[in-house]
Amino acid sequence: MNNAWPGYERMVEDGEFTWPRPFWEQPVWRWEAMIGTALRGAFMMSRAVAPLMISARRGLIVNISFWAAQLYEGNAVYGIAKAAADKMAADFAHELRPHSVAAVALYPGLVRTEAVLENAEHFDMSNSESPQFIGDVIGGLWRDPLLMSKSGHVLIAAALAREYGIADVDGTRPVPLCAADFAGNAGPSAGASELEDC
């Protein structure tokens, strides 16, 4: 699972919430964190484990991504990073399919990470997910006998949880986010339509 993500660090700088700044005012460190660290890490880890999976003729690579890949969600750098994570999963899946190894992009909801909790006043936490929830969903995906039919796709964690009968650690069942939940944001990019009816 590729989930190393330093992109939420220092959301508040000098007392200002910098996340929603336009791209020309974004701190350059945010690009380096999301692209240089997170995406590079996902690529290098996948590159390292792929030969072992190919040898075993079974495996799963999961890139944690989000709707920002397809819809405007706060800032351009975030969208670029998540779109790249989706494309990486799709292309990995294409190359790994002959070896019976799957790759997907998986969209969680709002996850209650330490950084998110520190900035909770900026978020609607009512449908948030624990960090453990995504792991349980990935476990369900791994055990899915139809895993290869999902390979190459963007999947929504809460929708998979419903399919697999998985609840969060506190017993709640997060509601899957869909494109319509982001209707107020600038228009979708190509590819968003496949998930609009999630």
Side-chain angles (χ1 to χ4, degrees), residues 80-156:
I80 292 164
K82 294 305 183 181
D86 286 7
K87 178 64 171 160
M88 190 186 306
D91 287 359
F92 286 176
H94 179 79
E95 294 180 356
L96 290 167
R97 184 168 299 280
H99 307 285
S100 300
V101 176
V104 301
L106 185 60
Y107 291 9
L110 179 63
V111 180
R112 295 185 300 272
T113 63
E114 291 89 350
V116 167
L117 291 174
E118 286 172 10
N119 296 281
E121 69 272 16
H122 300 288
F123 301 105
D124 175 1
M125 304 294 287
S126 63
N127 190 42
S128 61
E129 302 168 2
S130 73
Q132 295 89 342
F133 181 69
I134 195 84
D136 290 341
V137 170
I138 292 169
L141 183 62
W142 174 246
R143 292 184 297 274
D144 189 336
L146 300 176
L147 171 61
M148 287 307 296
S149 69
K150 292 177 167 78
S151 186
H153 293 274
V154 171
L155 306 171
I156 299 169

Side-chain angles (χ1 to χ4, degrees), residues 12-34:
V12 176
E13 297 181 80
D14 299 322
E16 182 188 350
F17 187 59
T18 60
W19 183 266
R21 286 183 181 176
F23 73 88
W24 60 91
E25 294 179 3
Q26 283 290 323
V28 174
W29 72 260
R30 190 164 278 145
W31 174 274
E32 296 300 330
M34 293 184 184

Side-chain angles (χ1 to χ4, degrees), residues 66-68 71-73 107-110 124 126-127 129 156 158-159 162 174-186 188 192 195-198:
F66 194 64
W67 282 103
L71 305 162
Y72 184 79
E73 180 57 23
Y107 291 9
L110 179 63
D124 175 1
S126 63
N127 190 42
E129 302 168 2
I156 299 169
R162 285 184 173 181
V175 177
L177 298 176
C178 301
D181 295 314
F182 302 92
N185 298 346
L195 290 176
E196 286 182 356
D197 297 325
C198 63

Side-chain angles (χ1 to χ4, degrees), residues 1-2 42-63 92-93 95-104 138 142 147-148 151:
M1 178 175 80
N2 293 316
F43 179 83
M44 296 304 289
M45 179 56 70
S46 300
R47 184 179 185 275
V49 300
L52 299 173
M53 295 178 178
I54 290 166
S55 177
R57 295 205 53 83
R58 179 152 162 74
L60 171 61
I61 294 172
V62 178
N63 285 349
F92 286 176
E95 294 180 356
L96 290 167
R97 184 168 299 280
H99 307 285
S100 300
V101 176
V104 301
I138 292 169
W142 174 246
L147 171 61
M148 287 307 296
S151 186

